[in-house]
């Protein structure tokens, strides 16, 4: 049994749902179910009753919940004490940030370092998702946040921070949103897209391949707010992350046609071969503690 399984157990107990727990700890639902099953097999106990209303703790599960929370607390205290024994962290953390990646996660990490490790100098560099990943692999960056639509590779230690869908949006009234997309008609409209090495750029290229077309005109824009403004202004069609897409739809600025990608992710990544680096260990602790 490992610490992640205990985190999963506590999350399911508190949320009462595999689905909500998976969103809380940023794991897939099959992974959450596998953690619970492994714990039950290891302990030889049934921890939950599966009901139509969700996951309900058994008597044994109730008794173990408090112990699990105490264990997680002790684990955090152990890591903090180990950091103190090693002395105050110093040095420079070169951190990458994708152009349209969530600023909240970056803010939590920067605040955490400022409060816990004020002698660490954090240097922030912005770029596309691909350039951030390449910077980590080449050694130009120590770690970074970026949006991922595929699998990052085994050489990276990746923490899922957020999952989100990407929507294809059009100016209001341009097409009938209730009908299936007419890709031939959409291909004749200007597409507002970032570069192919970005999250939305990769999603757009996948759409073009899947439906066997290429837009007559592509307008290159790498800022989501600008893309939203241009779509609302009738300039063309484009891709928006779920939060921006839903907000624009609610404000009557766009119509949403379909999901271009159902499960994109904001990730925090560093080289797996540097897992023992104290700066990176501290950064991952702050990122995961935010859950």
């Amino acid at each position: 049994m490992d610490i992640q399984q205990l985190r999963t157990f506590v999350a399911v107990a508190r949320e009462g749902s595999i689905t909500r727990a998976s969103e809380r700890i940023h794991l897939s639902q099959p992974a959450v179910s596998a953690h619970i099953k492994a714990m039950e097999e290891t302990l030889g106990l049934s921890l939950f009753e599966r009901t139509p209303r969700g996951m309900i703790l058994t008597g044994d599960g109730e008794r173990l919940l408090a112990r699990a929370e105490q264990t997680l607390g002790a684990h955090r205290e152990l890591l903090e004490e180990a950091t103190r024994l090693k002395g105050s962290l110093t040095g420079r953390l070169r951190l990458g940030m994708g152009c349209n990646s969530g600023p909240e996660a970056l803010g939590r990490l920067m605040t955490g370092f400022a409060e816990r490790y004020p002698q660490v100098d954090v240097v922030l560099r912005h770029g596309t998702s691909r350039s951030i990943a390449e910077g980590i692999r080449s050694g130009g960056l120590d770690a970074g946040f970026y949006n991922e639509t595929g699998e990052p590779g085994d050489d990276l230690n990746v923490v899922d921070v957020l999952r989100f869908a990407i929507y294809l949006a059009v100016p209001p009234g341009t097409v009938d949103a209730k009908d299936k997309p007419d890709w031939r008609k959409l291909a004749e409209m200007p597409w507002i897209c970032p570069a192919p090495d970005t999250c939305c750029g990769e999603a757009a290229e996948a759409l073009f391949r899947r439906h066997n077309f290429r837009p007559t005109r592509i307008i290159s824009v790498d800022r989501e707010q600008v893309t939203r403004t241009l779509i609302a202004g009738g300039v063309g069609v484009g891709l928006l992350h779920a939060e921006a897409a839903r907000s624009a739809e609610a404000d009557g600025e766009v119509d949403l046609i379909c999901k271009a990608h159902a499960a994109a992710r904001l990730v925090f990544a560093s080289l797996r071969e540097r897992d023992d680096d104290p700066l990176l260990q501290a950064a991952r602790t702050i990122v995961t503690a935010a859950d």
Side-chain angles (χ1 to χ4, degrees):
M1 187 189 311
D2 59 30
I3 288 295
Q4 185 58 55
Q5 290 175 352
L6 285 180
R7 290 195 184 101
T8 302
F9 168 59
V10 171
V12 173
R14 293 308 180 196
E15 297 294 337
S17 163
I18 294 288
T19 300
R20 290 195 297 273
S22 70
E23 293 172 351
R24 174 177 170 178
I25 59 179
H26 309 300
L27 288 177
S28 67
Q29 293 182 38
V32 171
S33 297
H35 282 184
I36 297 302
K37 180 179 179 181
M39 276 193 65
E40 291 180 327
E41 290 178 349
T42 299
L43 298 173
L45 297 172
S46 177
L47 302 176
F48 292 96
E49 292 181 13
R50 282 76 169 170
T51 74
R53 293 176 297 167
M55 302 286 283
I56 299 176
L57 283 169
T58 63
D60 291 334
E62 287 278 6
R63 285 189 287 273
L64 290 178
L65 177 60
R67 292 291 189 184
E69 291 177 325
Q70 291 172 3
T71 300
L72 291 176
H75 179 258
R76 286 193 296 271
E77 291 173 2
L78 184 148
L79 293 177
E80 292 170 358
E81 180 64 19
T83 299
R84 286 191 289 269
L85 289 173
K86 289 187 290 186
S88 297
L89 280 178
T90 61
R92 183 175 65 166
L93 179 67
R94 299 164 300 168
L95 187 65
M97 186 68 181
C99 296
N100 293 306
S101 301
E104 296 84 3
L106 173 64
R108 289 195 297 268
L109 181 58
M110 298 287 280
T111 300
F113 265 97
E115 292 175 347
R116 304 183 196 182
Y117 314 110
Q119 297 184 55
V120 173
D121 181 19
V122 180
V123 179
L124 184 62
R125 301 175 186 173
H126 287 88
T128 64
S129 294
R130 188 177 301 172
S131 71
I132 298 302
E134 290 175 351
I136 294 169
R137 289 187 169 99
S138 69
L141 294 172
D142 299 308
F145 293 97
Y146 65 89
N147 295 325
E148 178 65 76
T149 58
E151 294 301 323
D154 294 338
D155 59 332
L156 297 181
N157 183 338
V158 170
V159 176
D160 281 4
V161 178
L162 177 69
R163 291 175 180 266
F164 58 94
I166 300 172
Y167 286 85
L168 175 61
V170 301
T174 303
V175 299
D176 191 340
K178 297 179 181 179
D179 293 338
K180 290 184 178 180
D182 184 340
W183 297 108
R184 185 172 300 177
K185 180 178 179 180
L186 290 170
E188 296 172 355
M189 301 174 66
W191 280 62
I192 305 160
C193 294
D197 62 349
T198 63
C199 171
C200 284
E202 290 178 352
E205 292 294 327
L207 270 183
F208 302 157
R209 291 192 299 270
R210 187 158 62 245
H211 299 288
N212 194 30
F213 76 96
R214 193 81 191 170
T216 304
R217 182 186 177 200
I218 293 179
I219 301 172
S220 181
V221 173
D222 66 355
R223 290 293 185 272
E224 185 175 53
Q225 184 56 52
V226 177
T227 299
R228 174 176 173 174
T229 300
L230 292 177
I231 298 171
V235 174
V237 306
L239 301 180
L240 297 173
H241 294 177
E243 184 176 0
R246 292 301 186 191
S247 173
E249 182 185 46
D251 292 342
E253 297 177 2
V254 307
D255 289 337
L256 302 182
I257 301 301
C258 66
K259 285 183 180 179
H261 197 289
R265 299 175 293 157
L266 170 63
V267 302
F268 178 77
S270 59
L271 274 180
R272 193 174 295 280
E273 66 185 33
R274 295 185 59 191
D275 278 355
D276 293 334
D277 187 309
L279 278 177
L280 296 177
Q281 288 180 342
R284 283 193 298 273
T285 297
I286 294 171
V287 170
T288 55
D291 296 335

